[in-house]
Amino acid sequence: MVNRAKQQQREAARAPPRDDAVADRYLLRFVLEAHTDRFRYLELDALLRSAGLDPASCYDRPSAAAAAGEEPYVVLRAPSPRLLRDVVTRAILVRDALEIWGVGADHGACAAQAAALEGTDVFFGEETTWCLGVEAYGVGLDLGAQEAVRNQYRGAFRCRGRVRLKGADVRYRVVEVYDEARPARGAAPARCYAGRVVAASRARELVSKLDLKQRLYLGPTALDAELALIMANAAGVREGCSTLDPFAGTGSILVACAALGGRCLGSDIDWKVLRGKHVSERDSGERRRGALPRKQPSAALQPLHADDRERRTIFANFRQYGLPLPEILRMDSSRFFDSFRGPSIEGAFDCVVSDPPYGVRAGARCAGKDGAVKPVPDELRREHVPATKPYATADVLCDLLEIAARCLKRGGRLAYLLPATNDLTPEDVPRHPALTLVACEPQQLSTKYARWLVVMVKGRDWSARDWTPAVRAGVRRGADAPFAALKEKL
């Protein structure tokens, strides 16, 4: 009993008050990836709004030209570490957040400011383990250089506990930032930051967990896990929110939404995709995975379900990751609202997230047939699969906007991908009277073409008067513009 009491006393003394803020500014460190750097602030803004914070009052966003290839840091203002932690733990492109205790043009000025900051003694208990890391963007620091930097901060970090490199109670960090991407050897940093790490991303682990190489069931257009998670965050997917993907395919986006806590509904017209593949069949994701569908996934994932030993379907992917199963409907998105009775589906969803088929890697189809249509006898209707015809890309986008405008709650978000040329502007993005454009950022695929992530929010209730044939024709003409150059190239 005495040992147990001493252990509890030791643990209470070791654990610092995590929500005690000694500063109101934080240094966010982004994931350093060239193919996602344009999505950094798009995702951050969405997470800040979801936490009830105004992005414009939290940080100064650089221009698009300055943001491309810039240093992976941004200074952010937040009322408390708890709110910031809610944002960072859900982020895909933010690695962690540093509570800024000191900032200066050199280490001397930075250390002096950190040492003079009041309220930091609570983190320097004798039972509190700690570690101090040193990093520099664009410069490699050897162990000797790192130790020299640490020695300059002995007066700022007056730690009395033991050093623990892994699993320390408090982690401190010193950051050197240079103006040039590759500074000359021996160059002095432009700015130095010092402080305490208060939050780290947990959602980032999902990128490797949901990797397509371990996915049981794939299609030719399966979206990579990282981009699907970014889209889910951009749409505001959170625990318990209802999410819709009207062009679900093999469910890559729905898997990401479910991993972030969303309740998912998906639909697709391709009954072969929804039916799945027998384990003896070679699936369309073989080339992307590098092998045939695995009989047993990685040991870190769920054991193979009995229903997935003979046939791989969308549901196999959800069972593989231990996620709640979605509702999947085989339906035609061009006649989406003909499939539901009454207005029950309108205003029922918090988020709509989709990667529509634009005919680039897979052709879009809708129900119908060119020429005369034969009536289906009553005895064959139950098993009848309607014929399909090509689905124009402009009509795909038109129907997606209409589905989002009617199905979203007020304030709900639509996030979708739009392939177009690199010179696409926000004015070129097709609009809907009930939807307001929030963000439009590219992921560059080549020197001419990009995949644009478009985010819209439902600003007001949908009205039938807003979607007249003339309005639809105008949206359709606008939807044709982004694909014109792309179609000519392909």
Side-chain angles (χ1 to χ4, degrees):
M1 290 294 293
V2 176
N3 292 338
R4 178 61 178 168
K6 286 184 177 180
Q7 182 180 358
Q8 291 177 347
Q9 183 179 2
R10 226 179 271 118
E11 291 176 353
R14 178 185 303 157
R18 296 183 55 177
D19 290 333
D20 277 9
V22 297
D24 62 349
R25 293 191 305 162
Y26 303 87
L27 185 70
L28 268 59
R29 180 175 62 159
F30 290 109
V31 174
L32 194 59
E33 293 177 338
H35 64 280
T36 59
D37 60 355
R38 293 296 295 272
F39 298 149
R40 293 173 179 174
Y41 299 105
L42 183 151
E43 183 195 36
L44 179 59
D45 288 355
L47 293 175
L48 288 173
R49 290 192 181 96
S50 180
L53 301 174
D54 179 22
S57 62
C58 289
Y59 74 99
D60 298 325
R61 181 171 180 172
S63 62
E70 68 166 4
E71 63 193 38
Y73 303 104
V74 65
V75 177
L76 184 141
R77 297 171 292 276
S80 71
R82 181 184 59 81
L83 283 176
L84 184 66
R85 195 174 300 116
D86 292 341
V87 171
V88 175
T89 53
R90 294 168 50 194
I92 302 299
L93 298 180
V94 178
R95 286 200 180 275
D96 50 37
L98 182 77
E99 185 182 49
I100 299 176
W101 289 9
V103 58
D106 53 39
H107 288 295
C110 181
Q113 187 176 353
L117 186 66
E118 297 181 356
T120 59
D121 291 338
V122 68
F123 302 103
F124 303 143
E126 294 182 356
E127 299 295 335
T128 302
T129 58
W130 62 280
C131 68
L132 174 58
V134 180
E135 70 176 37
Y137 173 63
V139 176
L141 299 177
D142 57 28
L143 295 179
Q146 294 182 35
E147 188 61 26
V149 171
R150 290 191 186 95
N151 291 333
Q152 299 186 57
Y153 288 86
R154 291 184 178 275
F157 302 117
R158 302 174 294 277
C159 304
R160 296 177 293 167
R162 292 180 301 169
V163 174
R164 179 180 292 176
L165 298 182
K166 292 185 177 181
D169 297 327
V170 184
R171 290 187 298 144
Y172 305 103
R173 182 180 298 151
V174 177
V175 179
E176 293 182 352
V177 179
Y178 294 80
D179 287 336
E180 300 178 2
R182 295 183 180 274
R185 187 176 185 87
R191 298 183 308 282
C192 299
Y193 296 94
R196 172 178 67 111
V197 178
V198 296
S201 174
R202 296 178 182 174
R204 185 68 193 173
E205 301 173 356
L206 294 173
V207 175
S208 56
K209 179 181 178 181
L210 305 182
D211 187 11
L212 294 183
K213 293 181 179 179
Q214 297 204 39
R215 193 76 58 87
L216 286 174
Y217 182 53
L218 285 179
T221 59
L223 193 65
D224 64 275
E226 184 176 33
L227 184 53
L229 290 165
I230 294 171
M231 292 178 64
N233 271 338
V237 176
R238 58 194 180 280
E239 191 71 32
C241 76
S242 52
T243 307
L244 170 66
D245 182 0
F247 303 97
T250 55
S252 296
I253 289 179
L254 294 179
V255 167
C257 293
L260 294 177
R263 295 182 291 107
C264 300
L265 169 67
S267 65
D268 203 277
I269 195 172
D270 193 343
W271 65 271
K272 293 181 180 180
V273 171
L274 301 181
R275 179 180 64 91
K277 295 278 186 180
H278 193 272
V279 293
S280 61
E281 298 179 69
R282 299 167 69 90
D283 74 345
S284 55
E286 177 183 347
R287 290 184 182 179
R288 303 183 68 186
R289 188 188 296 106
L292 290 173
R294 298 188 178 190
K295 295 183 179 180
Q296 176 63 43
S298 168
L301 303 176
Q302 295 289 329
L304 198 62
H305 194 274
D307 294 343
D308 304 326
R309 293 171 184 165
E310 298 294 331
R311 179 169 294 279
R312 304 291 163 80
T313 64
I314 294 177
F315 303 109
N317 294 336
F318 285 80
R319 285 190 285 259
Q320 177 185 8
Y321 302 117
L323 300 174
L325 298 183
E327 299 291 339
I328 300 294
L329 303 176
R330 196 268 177 182
M331 60 187 298
D332 179 13
S333 293
S334 69
R335 295 175 171 84
F336 188 85
F337 297 98
D338 296 340
S339 305
F340 298 93
R341 295 180 179 178
S344 59
I345 196 69
E346 297 184 7
F349 293 93
D350 299 291
C351 314
V352 175
V353 192
S354 189
D355 179 19
Y358 294 113
V360 179
R361 295 176 61 188
R365 310 286 295 182
C366 65
K369 184 180 179 181
D370 296 331
V373 178
K374 297 181 180 179
V376 180
D378 292 340
E379 63 273 14
L380 300 180
R381 284 182 177 273
R382 183 177 180 83
E383 302 296 332
H384 175 68
V385 177
T388 61
K389 64 180 182 180
Y391 194 4
T393 53
D395 290 330
V396 170
L397 195 51
C398 256
D399 292 329
L400 175 62
L401 295 179
E402 176 66 356
I403 290 171
R406 294 180 65 175
C407 292
L408 283 173
K409 301 175 182 177
R410 183 182 292 188
R413 289 195 163 208
L414 162 68
Y416 69 95
L417 293 176
L418 178 66
T421 54
N422 286 331
D423 57 357
L424 183 78
T425 63
E427 289 73 22
D428 298 329
V429 176
R431 308 297 179 95
H432 189 285
L435 301 174
T436 303
L437 182 65
V438 175
C440 179
E441 295 292 346
Q443 182 185 49
Q444 191 167 341
L445 303 178
S446 68
T447 56
K448 292 185 178 181
Y449 301 104
R451 181 164 54 179
W452 293 76
L453 174 53
V454 181
V455 183
M456 294 181 167
V457 63
K458 184 174 179 179
R460 58 183 177 84
D461 293 335
W462 176 87
S463 172
R465 292 173 295 182
D466 295 336
W467 198 242
T468 62
V471 173
R472 180 181 175 88
V475 174
R476 194 183 189 284
R477 285 193 300 270
D480 267 330
F483 303 114
L486 191 63
K487 286 186 200 175
E488 292 177 3
K489 179 68 177 179
L490 296 175

